[in-house]
Amino acid sequence: MQKIAAAAIGEISEIGGPVPRVLGVAVGSEDPDHRPHVTATVHGTDVDLAVRASVHHPAPIADVVGRARSRAAARIAQATGLQVRHLDVTVTALSTDPAPAGRTVR
């Protein structure tokens, strides 16, 4: 589940890897070349997902998160037949760096 969701969400050009934090303080920078961090909990035929990722500024966060939810739910349903019951997205940072080569910001 985690790999399926991370791959699906990672296809969204405005999303990058999460920023590491210690006691709430960023101790590094986001890595736009890495996928978001996803944890999954399966409850029978339902899945709960928790996602940590960065978003490239000035992308509208609500729009990007909405697309992430839709894409992850669709991909998991298609690949496994399970339904995403709940998906939490934590945006760990807003990146002002340009998107890496091969990924374009819409």
Side-chain angles (χ1 to χ4, degrees):
M1 294 304 143
Q2 295 169 176
K3 288 183 180 183
I4 294 168
I9 295 169
E11 293 170 0
I12 299 171
S13 62
E14 296 91 351
I15 292 184
V19 173
R21 295 184 176 272
V22 174
L23 299 174
V25 177
V27 293
S29 61
E30 44 74 46
D31 189 345
D33 292 330
H34 283 108
R35 292 181 177 165
H37 181 262
V38 179
T39 56
T41 307
V42 178
H43 306 278
T45 59
D46 295 327
V47 180
D48 291 340
L49 298 172
V51 179
R52 292 176 38 82
S54 60
V55 174
H56 298 292
H57 180 74
I61 296 171
D63 178 56
V64 172
V65 169
R67 286 188 286 136
R69 284 188 174 111
S70 297
R71 186 170 295 203
R75 192 71 54 84
I76 286 175
Q78 178 185 29
T80 67
L82 301 177
Q83 298 299 310
V84 174
R85 176 176 69 173
H86 190 78
L87 194 152
D88 283 330
V89 178
T90 300
V91 176
T92 61
L94 295 176
S95 170
T96 56
D97 296 333
R103 294 175 76 185
T104 57
V105 177
R106 298 182 226 172

